[in-house]
Structures are given as structure tokens and as C-alpha cells.
Amino acid sequence: MLAYTYIEKGRFELLEKPKPILQDDRDAIVRVTLASICTSDLHIKHGGVPRAVPGITVGHEMVGVVEEVGSAVTAVRPGDRVAVNVETFCGNCFFCKHGWVNNCTDPNGGWALGCRIDGGQGEYVRVPYADQGLNRIPNEVTDRQALFTGDLLATGYWAADISKIKPEDTVLILGAGPTGICTLQCVLLKTPKQVIVCEKDPNRRAFVQKQYPQVLAIGPENVLECVHACSAHGGADVVLEVAGGSDTFSWAWQCARPNGIVTVVALYDKPQPLPLPDMYGKNLTFKTGGVDGCSCGKILRLIAQGKLDTTALITHTYPLQEIKAAYELFENRRDGVIKVAILCGGDNG
């Protein structure tokens, strides 16, 4: 089968590899129909993910059709269309039982697909702990509608959920990239009074204004003044930091009102200063870390109900044979790209 493979720092190649086989009775083999490229894949390419194993097939955003299941798998069967979870989790350890699946204690727990074990930018993928890692896609939901369920939407849903957003709240989202937009959609499910999105890219701000006219989209040059002007208590009730820029963590805590919540979704390239003397007295609550992606079933139901729709994020589509060109487009942000869909074996819409 064809599979896009991490060779060494700075180098991915499309290689011919053996089709994966079941290695455990809780495994499933999925024929990938549609995949996508994530910024985390670029981090692997450029050496920013030390855990990544050379030789693995990259990619962790994918949907497909179950081809084969191990004897202990009960949640899916061959022929099912499925969304694949970004995380591998056993379902049995202390952290899994509390819903903290990002910290599953299994050796392949957490982000493994496309990082430490073979992922989904290929024709087939082996999914460990398939009962946890696969969710059946409703018949009325297309592959494109379901594509971001297991990663971007899982992240946005988790971030909005742990932020405890209330109807009277003013919410600030820093960043309007793909994860920021998925977070925005999930925040809007909470029906807060006011949502502000801060994004430096004017094209992305225009996208927000067009798709979500009820949202205030602003640039970073006046974020502090705008947030204070739009809130009654000296800042946003909830701030979600999704950008991971050089200044965005500082903006996040400065834009939050006293006793507000700051949820850090972003992955930073370097440590961020925590100026505790300046923060003292604001009594902020910080929530940080990697997604606990255990709400994919709920997300798919929301997609089926028309309450979540991320298909507008897919601006370009390439066949697997041209994935190198798709990476070049995505990495250099050419031609208004937001997300690229990779056709690995045909897709359902």
C-alpha cells in the first residue's frame, strides 16, 4: 500500500509498504477513505516532536471503513464507516476511567497514531483499542463532515467543555486557524452572550466574519482595549488560547477578568513566562493540556443534527499520490488554504 512516511528530520516520502495486520485482539484494520494534514505533522517533519519515530506512516486525522477486527472488538464490525480518534486509550486504567484519556498509561496511550505508530496518511491503518478509538459515522453524515471529528473537533469540544462557559459570558478566542475555528463552533454551542475572536491573519478574520456574523473578529493590535470595552467586569469571563504565538499567552491572562478562566489549548514551541507578581490578585483559573478526546460519539451526533459543520474548512483536495504537493501548499499557506483533504481511497461526499 502507499503510505506517507517520516524518513528523517525535514523529509517525508510516499513509500510502498505492507498492508497492516492485526497485532492484538482489540485491534481493527481500517481502509482510509479520507485523511488530512495537521500542523502537528509539520512539527514532526521539522523535528519538533522528539517522540516521533522515523519510519512511521504519518497522519492522525482520518475517516474510513473497517476492514477487519480482532476477536475482542465489539463496538464496530467490518463494513462500518468510522471516524478515527487522534488518541489511543485502553479504557481501563485510572486516567481512562476518569475521562482523562490523553494520559492513558498504555505504552501507546495518548497521541500515538502518526507519531509513535503508523498513522493514516496511507491506504490502511491499524487502530489499537478499536472499541475506544473508532466511532461509527451516522449514515446521513459524509466523510468530509466527519473528517475532523477525532482531532480538531474533539479538541474544540473538550476545550469548550472544560471552560464552563455560561450564557451571560463574554468569551475570547485567541487564534482562528483550523483548531480555533473548531473551538469557536463548539463554544457557540454554549450560547454565550458575546464571542470575540482575535486573529492576526486578515484572510482568516474575513473567514470568521463571513461564516459567523454574530462573532466579533479583531486583530491583535487592539485586543486588550476591545475586550475591556466589550465586557462589564474588566475582561473576558473565559479566554481560550488556541494560537500558540509569542505573545498570545500574555494576552490570554491580561484579557481575562478577575476570577476568570483561561484555557490553554495551544502547543507552544518554547516555555512561556508566568509573571505571578503581575497576576497576583486576579485569582485566575488556568486549564491547560492535551485534548481528552472521548466525546467523538457526541460530536458525530451534533454533526448529524446540523449543529456542527466544518466542511468549509476544507479548501483543497488532493489524491494520496500528490500528497507532497498538498504538504507544500499547506505548509506555505498558499492559495487561501485552511485544510487539505487527502483522498486515500475514495470518499463518501
Side-chain angles (χ1 to χ4, degrees):
M1 69 165 194
L2 288 176
Y4 207 47
T5 303
Y6 174 36
I7 305 299
E8 60 187 1
K9 181 179 177 180
R11 184 180 165 208
F12 287 175
E13 294 289 346
L14 188 61
L15 302 180
E16 188 70 38
K17 287 184 172 181
K19 180 181 173 181
I21 61 173
L22 298 173
Q23 298 180 19
D24 185 272
D25 60 6
R26 297 179 70 181
D27 287 353
I29 305 300
V30 175
R31 176 173 57 84
V32 181
T33 54
L34 199 64
S36 189
I37 303 169
C38 180
T39 303
S40 298
D41 299 325
L42 300 180
H43 290 160
I44 291 176
K45 180 180 178 183
H46 296 296
V49 185
R51 302 186 294 171
V53 178
I56 56 104
T57 302
V58 293
H60 54 268
E61 296 177 345
M62 73 206 90
V63 295
V65 178
V66 176
E67 286 256 321
E68 186 179 2
V69 298
S71 59
V73 175
T74 61
V76 296
R77 61 180 185 269
D80 286 343
R81 293 172 54 238
V82 290
V84 181
N85 199 307
V86 66
E87 292 174 321
T88 299
F89 55 102
C90 69
N92 296 324
C93 71
F94 169 82
F95 294 100
C96 285
K97 287 180 178 178
H98 284 80
W100 305 325
V101 301
N102 182 59
N103 291 300
C104 173
T105 56
D106 185 86
N108 284 322
W111 176 28
L113 287 170
C115 177
R116 292 173 284 139
I117 62 176
D118 286 331
Q121 288 174 11
E123 295 178 276
Y124 295 88
V125 63
R126 178 183 69 89
V127 180
Y129 298 121
D131 281 345
Q132 280 71 47
L134 298 177
N135 289 89
R136 285 184 290 179
I137 300 172
N139 290 335
E140 63 269 34
V141 175
T142 68
D143 284 1
R144 288 174 182 258
Q145 288 175 312
L147 180 57
F148 303 130
T149 297
D151 185 12
L152 298 183
L153 277 171
T155 299
Y157 190 93
W158 164 81
D161 196 49
I162 67 171
S163 296
K164 305 301 180 185
I165 296 166
K166 300 181 291 298
E168 66 269 22
D169 283 349
T170 293
V171 178
L172 170 66
I173 299 173
L174 294 169
T179 306
I181 296 297
C182 289
T183 300
L184 169 61
Q185 285 206 15
C186 295
V187 164
L188 291 173
L189 293 174
K190 307 290 186 180
T191 62
K193 179 180 178 181
Q194 172 76 66
V195 178
I196 305 167
V197 173
C198 177
E199 168 58 51
K200 65 180 180 180
D201 185 331
N203 293 322
R204 288 182 171 179
R205 289 202 303 272
F207 179 87
V208 171
Q209 290 170 339
K210 179 180 179 181
Q211 297 289 329
Y212 313 98
Q214 74 274 39
V215 171
L216 178 60
I218 62 172
E221 60 279 354
N222 59 350
V223 60
L224 289 169
E225 294 82 357
C226 180
V227 171
H228 281 269
C230 292
S231 61
H233 306 291
D237 301 281
V238 176
V239 179
L240 296 103
E241 209 292 78
V242 197
S246 58
D247 299 313
T248 49
F249 178 76
S250 177
W251 295 340
W253 72 262
Q254 290 183 63
C255 287
R257 65 158 169 79
N259 301 96
I261 292 174
V262 178
T263 299
V264 179
V265 185
L267 176 64
Y268 299 104
D269 291 331
K270 56 186 177 181
Q272 300 296 303
L274 195 67
L276 292 175
D278 297 330
M279 293 176 176
Y280 192 80
K282 288 197 81 170
N283 292 13
L284 298 171
T285 297
F286 286 86
K287 301 191 176 188
T288 70
V291 54
D292 287 314
C294 48
S295 297
C296 293
K298 295 177 184 177
I299 291 167
L300 285 166
R301 289 192 291 273
L302 289 166
I303 294 171
Q305 294 164 10
K307 295 179 180 179
L308 290 172
D309 185 2
T310 55
T311 52
L313 295 178
I314 303 173
T315 54
H316 297 75
T317 302
Y318 283 75
L320 179 60
Q321 292 81 356
E322 297 177 20
I323 192 170
K324 187 173 183 178
Y327 262 82
E328 195 275 333
L329 173 89
F330 182 72
E331 184 168 3
N332 293 287
R333 293 191 180 184
R334 291 192 293 101
D335 194 26
V337 65
I338 300 178
K339 290 290 285 185
V340 182
I342 305 298
L343 290 164
C344 298
D347 77 299
N348 176 44

Short mmCIF file of all heavy atoms in Angstrom, two decimals, residues 248-285:
data_model
loop_
_atom_site.label_atom_id
_atom_site.label_comp_id
_atom_site.label_asym_id
_atom_site.label_seq_id
_atom_site.Cartn_x
_atom_site.Cartn_y
_atom_site.Cartn_z
N THR A 248 0.71 35.41 22.72
CA THR A 248 -0.70 35.08 22.97
C THR A 248 -0.97 34.60 24.39
O THR A 248 -2.06 34.83 24.91
CB THR A 248 -1.21 34.06 21.95
OG1 THR A 248 -0.29 32.96 21.87
CG2 THR A 248 -1.34 34.70 20.57
N PHE A 249 -0.01 33.95 25.03
CA PHE A 249 -0.25 33.55 26.42
C PHE A 249 -0.35 34.79 27.30
O PHE A 249 -1.20 34.86 28.19
CB PHE A 249 0.87 32.63 26.92
CG PHE A 249 0.68 32.24 28.37
CD1 PHE A 249 -0.25 31.29 28.73
CD2 PHE A 249 1.43 32.85 29.36
CE1 PHE A 249 -0.43 30.94 30.06
CE2 PHE A 249 1.26 32.51 30.70
CZ PHE A 249 0.32 31.55 31.05
N SER A 250 0.50 35.77 27.04
CA SER A 250 0.45 37.01 27.80
C SER A 250 -0.88 37.71 27.60
O SER A 250 -1.51 38.19 28.56
CB SER A 250 1.61 37.93 27.40
OG SER A 250 1.54 39.16 28.08
N TRP A 251 -1.35 37.77 26.35
CA TRP A 251 -2.65 38.39 26.08
C TRP A 251 -3.76 37.64 26.80
O TRP A 251 -4.71 38.25 27.30
CB TRP A 251 -2.95 38.39 24.58
CG TRP A 251 -2.02 39.22 23.76
CD1 TRP A 251 -1.22 40.24 24.18
CD2 TRP A 251 -1.80 39.09 22.35
NE1 TRP A 251 -0.50 40.76 23.13
CE2 TRP A 251 -0.83 40.07 21.98
CE3 TRP A 251 -2.29 38.25 21.36
CZ2 TRP A 251 -0.38 40.22 20.68
CZ3 TRP A 251 -1.83 38.40 20.06
CH2 TRP A 251 -0.89 39.37 19.73
N ALA A 252 -3.65 36.32 26.83
CA ALA A 252 -4.72 35.50 27.41
C ALA A 252 -4.99 35.88 28.86
O ALA A 252 -6.14 36.14 29.23
CB ALA A 252 -4.36 34.02 27.30
N TRP A 253 -3.96 35.93 29.69
CA TRP A 253 -4.23 36.23 31.09
C TRP A 253 -4.53 37.71 31.31
O TRP A 253 -5.30 38.07 32.20
CB TRP A 253 -3.09 35.75 32.00
CG TRP A 253 -1.80 36.51 31.94
CD1 TRP A 253 -0.68 36.18 31.23
CD2 TRP A 253 -1.46 37.69 32.68
NE1 TRP A 253 0.31 37.09 31.45
CE2 TRP A 253 -0.13 38.03 32.34
CE3 TRP A 253 -2.16 38.51 33.57
CZ2 TRP A 253 0.51 39.14 32.86
CZ3 TRP A 253 -1.51 39.62 34.10
CH2 TRP A 253 -0.19 39.93 33.75
N GLN A 254 -3.97 38.59 30.46
CA GLN A 254 -4.26 40.01 30.60
C GLN A 254 -5.69 40.34 30.18
O GLN A 254 -6.31 41.27 30.72
CB GLN A 254 -3.28 40.83 29.78
CG GLN A 254 -1.86 40.83 30.32
CD GLN A 254 -0.94 41.70 29.52
OE1 GLN A 254 -1.12 42.92 29.43
NE2 GLN A 254 0.06 41.10 28.89
N CYS A 255 -6.22 39.61 29.21
CA CYS A 255 -7.58 39.87 28.72
C CYS A 255 -8.66 39.25 29.61
O CYS A 255 -9.84 39.59 29.46
CB CYS A 255 -7.74 39.33 27.30
SG CYS A 255 -6.89 40.31 26.04
N ALA A 256 -8.28 38.35 30.49
CA ALA A 256 -9.26 37.71 31.36
C ALA A 256 -9.64 38.64 32.51
O ALA A 256 -8.78 39.36 33.06
CB ALA A 256 -8.70 36.41 31.92
N ARG A 257 -10.89 38.64 32.88
CA ARG A 257 -11.33 39.43 34.04
C ARG A 257 -10.83 38.76 35.33
O ARG A 257 -10.45 37.57 35.32
CB ARG A 257 -12.85 39.53 34.08
CG ARG A 257 -13.57 38.21 34.30
CD ARG A 257 -14.97 38.44 34.85
NE ARG A 257 -15.80 37.25 34.85
CZ ARG A 257 -15.74 36.27 35.74
NH1 ARG A 257 -14.85 36.31 36.73
NH2 ARG A 257 -16.56 35.23 35.65
N PRO A 258 -10.81 39.47 36.43
CA PRO A 258 -10.51 38.82 37.71
C PRO A 258 -11.45 37.64 37.96
O PRO A 258 -12.64 37.71 37.64
CB PRO A 258 -10.73 39.94 38.73
CG PRO A 258 -10.46 41.20 37.97
CD PRO A 258 -10.98 40.93 36.58
N ASN A 259 -10.88 36.56 38.47
CA ASN A 259 -11.62 35.32 38.74
C ASN A 259 -12.12 34.63 37.47
O ASN A 259 -13.01 33.79 37.54
CB ASN A 259 -12.78 35.56 39.70
CG ASN A 259 -12.31 36.11 41.03
OD1 ASN A 259 -12.32 37.34 41.24
ND2 ASN A 259 -11.88 35.25 41.93
N GLY A 260 -11.55 35.00 36.33
CA GLY A 260 -11.93 34.37 35.07
C GLY A 260 -11.20 33.05 34.85
O GLY A 260 -10.35 32.62 35.64
N ILE A 261 -11.56 32.40 33.75
CA ILE A 261 -10.96 31.12 33.36
C ILE A 261 -10.13 31.33 32.10
O ILE A 261 -10.60 31.93 31.13
CB ILE A 261 -12.03 30.04 33.12
CG1 ILE A 261 -12.72 29.68 34.44
CG2 ILE A 261 -11.44 28.79 32.47
CD1 ILE A 261 -13.89 28.73 34.28
N VAL A 262 -8.90 30.82 32.12
CA VAL A 262 -8.03 30.84 30.94
C VAL A 262 -7.74 29.39 30.56
O VAL A 262 -7.13 28.65 31.34
CB VAL A 262 -6.71 31.59 31.21
CG1 VAL A 262 -5.81 31.54 29.97
CG2 VAL A 262 -6.99 33.04 31.61
N THR A 263 -8.20 28.99 29.39
CA THR A 263 -7.99 27.63 28.92
C THR A 263 -6.96 27.65 27.79
O THR A 263 -7.17 28.29 26.77
CB THR A 263 -9.31 27.01 28.40
OG1 THR A 263 -10.25 26.96 29.48
CG2 THR A 263 -9.09 25.60 27.88
N VAL A 264 -5.85 26.99 28.01
CA VAL A 264 -4.75 26.98 27.04
C VAL A 264 -4.83 25.71 26.22
O VAL A 264 -4.57 24.61 26.71
CB VAL A 264 -3.38 27.09 27.74
CG1 VAL A 264 -2.26 27.06 26.71
CG2 VAL A 264 -3.30 28.37 28.56
N VAL A 265 -5.22 25.87 24.96
CA VAL A 265 -5.34 24.76 24.03
C VAL A 265 -4.06 24.64 23.19
O VAL A 265 -3.70 23.57 22.73
CB VAL A 265 -6.55 24.97 23.10
CG1 VAL A 265 -6.77 23.78 22.18
CG2 VAL A 265 -7.81 25.25 23.91
N ALA A 266 -3.37 25.76 23.02
CA ALA A 266 -2.22 25.84 22.12
C ALA A 266 -1.05 24.99 22.61
O ALA A 266 -0.86 24.78 23.81
CB ALA A 266 -1.77 27.30 21.98
N LEU A 267 -0.25 24.52 21.65
CA LEU A 267 1.02 23.86 21.93
C LEU A 267 2.13 24.84 21.59
O LEU A 267 2.25 25.30 20.45
CB LEU A 267 1.15 22.59 21.08
CG LEU A 267 2.46 21.83 21.18
CD1 LEU A 267 2.66 21.29 22.59
CD2 LEU A 267 2.50 20.69 20.17
N TYR A 268 2.95 25.19 22.57
CA TYR A 268 4.00 26.19 22.38
C TYR A 268 5.31 25.55 21.97
O TYR A 268 5.62 24.42 22.34
CB TYR A 268 4.21 26.99 23.67
CG TYR A 268 2.99 27.76 24.12
CD1 TYR A 268 2.22 27.31 25.18
CD2 TYR A 268 2.62 28.93 23.47
CE1 TYR A 268 1.11 28.01 25.60
CE2 TYR A 268 1.50 29.64 23.88
CZ TYR A 268 0.74 29.17 24.94
OH TYR A 268 -0.37 29.86 25.34
N ASP A 269 6.10 26.33 21.22
CA ASP A 269 7.42 25.87 20.81
C ASP A 269 8.47 26.05 21.91
O ASP A 269 9.53 25.42 21.88
CB ASP A 269 7.89 26.63 19.56
CG ASP A 269 7.07 26.27 18.33
OD1 ASP A 269 6.58 25.13 18.28
OD2 ASP A 269 6.92 27.12 17.44
N LYS A 270 8.17 26.92 22.88
CA LYS A 270 9.15 27.18 23.94
C LYS A 270 8.40 27.57 25.21
O LYS A 270 7.20 27.89 25.17
CB LYS A 270 10.12 28.29 23.53
CG LYS A 270 9.46 29.60 23.14
CD LYS A 270 10.48 30.59 22.61
CE LYS A 270 9.82 31.89 22.15
NZ LYS A 270 10.82 32.84 21.61
N PRO A 271 9.07 27.55 26.37
CA PRO A 271 8.41 27.89 27.63
C PRO A 271 7.81 29.29 27.61
O PRO A 271 8.34 30.20 26.95
CB PRO A 271 9.53 27.78 28.67
CG PRO A 271 10.53 26.85 28.06
CD PRO A 271 10.47 27.14 26.58
N GLN A 272 6.72 29.44 28.36
CA GLN A 272 6.06 30.73 28.48
C GLN A 272 6.26 31.29 29.90
O GLN A 272 6.12 30.55 30.87
CB GLN A 272 4.56 30.58 28.22
CG GLN A 272 4.23 30.06 26.84
CD GLN A 272 4.66 31.00 25.74
OE1 GLN A 272 4.27 32.16 25.71
NE2 GLN A 272 5.49 30.51 24.83
N PRO A 273 6.61 32.57 30.03
CA PRO A 273 6.79 33.14 31.37
C PRO A 273 5.47 33.23 32.11
O PRO A 273 4.42 33.50 31.52
CB PRO A 273 7.36 34.54 31.08
CG PRO A 273 6.93 34.85 29.69
CD PRO A 273 6.89 33.55 28.96
N LEU A 274 5.52 32.98 33.39
CA LEU A 274 4.35 33.06 34.25
C LEU A 274 4.61 34.18 35.27
O LEU A 274 5.15 33.93 36.35
CB LEU A 274 4.11 31.73 34.96
CG LEU A 274 2.76 31.51 35.62
CD1 LEU A 274 1.66 31.44 34.57
CD2 LEU A 274 2.77 30.22 36.44
N PRO A 275 4.24 35.41 34.93
CA PRO A 275 4.57 36.56 35.79
C PRO A 275 3.65 36.64 37.00
O PRO A 275 2.74 37.47 37.07
CB PRO A 275 4.40 37.75 34.85
CG PRO A 275 3.36 37.31 33.88
CD PRO A 275 3.54 35.83 33.71
N LEU A 276 3.88 35.79 37.97
CA LEU A 276 2.98 35.68 39.11
C LEU A 276 2.79 36.99 39.88
O LEU A 276 1.68 37.28 40.33
CB LEU A 276 3.46 34.56 40.04
CG LEU A 276 3.35 33.15 39.45
CD1 LEU A 276 3.97 32.13 40.40
CD2 LEU A 276 1.91 32.79 39.17
N PRO A 277 3.84 37.82 40.06
CA PRO A 277 3.59 39.09 40.76
C PRO A 277 2.56 39.97 40.05
O PRO A 277 1.73 40.63 40.68
CB PRO A 277 4.97 39.75 40.78
CG PRO A 277 5.93 38.63 40.71
CD PRO A 277 5.29 37.63 39.80
N ASP A 278 2.60 39.96 38.69
CA ASP A 278 1.64 40.77 37.93
C ASP A 278 0.24 40.15 37.96
O ASP A 278 -0.77 40.86 37.91
CB ASP A 278 2.10 40.91 36.48
CG ASP A 278 3.42 41.64 36.37
OD1 ASP A 278 3.71 42.50 37.23
OD2 ASP A 278 4.19 41.35 35.43
N MET A 279 0.18 38.83 38.03
CA MET A 279 -1.11 38.14 38.05
C MET A 279 -1.76 38.17 39.43
O MET A 279 -2.97 37.99 39.54
CB MET A 279 -0.93 36.67 37.64
CG MET A 279 -0.51 36.44 36.23
SD MET A 279 -0.25 34.65 35.99
CE MET A 279 0.13 34.59 34.25
N TYR A 280 -0.95 38.37 40.44
CA TYR A 280 -1.44 38.23 41.81
C TYR A 280 -2.65 39.12 42.04
O TYR A 280 -2.65 40.31 41.70
CB TYR A 280 -0.34 38.59 42.81
CG TYR A 280 -0.67 38.21 44.23
CD1 TYR A 280 -0.51 36.91 44.66
CD2 TYR A 280 -1.17 39.15 45.12
CE1 TYR A 280 -0.83 36.54 45.96
CE2 TYR A 280 -1.49 38.80 46.42
CZ TYR A 280 -1.32 37.49 46.84
OH TYR A 280 -1.64 37.13 48.13
N GLY A 281 -3.69 38.56 42.59
CA GLY A 281 -4.90 39.32 42.84
C GLY A 281 -5.97 39.14 41.78
O GLY A 281 -7.14 39.41 42.05
N LYS A 282 -5.58 38.68 40.58
CA LYS A 282 -6.61 38.42 39.56
C LYS A 282 -7.35 37.11 39.84
O LYS A 282 -8.44 36.89 39.33
CB LYS A 282 -6.00 38.38 38.15
CG LYS A 282 -5.58 39.74 37.62
CD LYS A 282 -5.38 39.73 36.10
CE LYS A 282 -6.71 39.84 35.36
NZ LYS A 282 -6.53 40.08 33.90
N ASN A 283 -6.72 36.23 40.62
CA ASN A 283 -7.37 34.98 41.03
C ASN A 283 -7.87 34.17 39.83
O ASN A 283 -9.00 33.71 39.82
CB ASN A 283 -8.51 35.24 42.00
CG ASN A 283 -8.04 35.77 43.33
OD1 ASN A 283 -6.89 36.17 43.47
ND2 ASN A 283 -8.91 35.79 44.33
N LEU A 284 -7.01 34.05 38.83
CA LEU A 284 -7.39 33.34 37.61
C LEU A 284 -7.31 31.82 37.79
O LEU A 284 -6.50 31.32 38.57
CB LEU A 284 -6.47 33.76 36.46
CG LEU A 284 -6.51 35.23 36.07
CD1 LEU A 284 -5.41 35.55 35.07
CD2 LEU A 284 -7.88 35.59 35.49
N THR A 285 -8.14 31.12 37.05
CA THR A 285 -8.07 29.67 36.97
C THR A 285 -7.53 29.29 35.60
O THR A 285 -8.11 29.67 34.58
CB THR A 285 -9.46 29.03 37.16
OG1 THR A 285 -9.93 29.34 38.48
CG2 THR A 285 -9.40 27.52 37.00
#
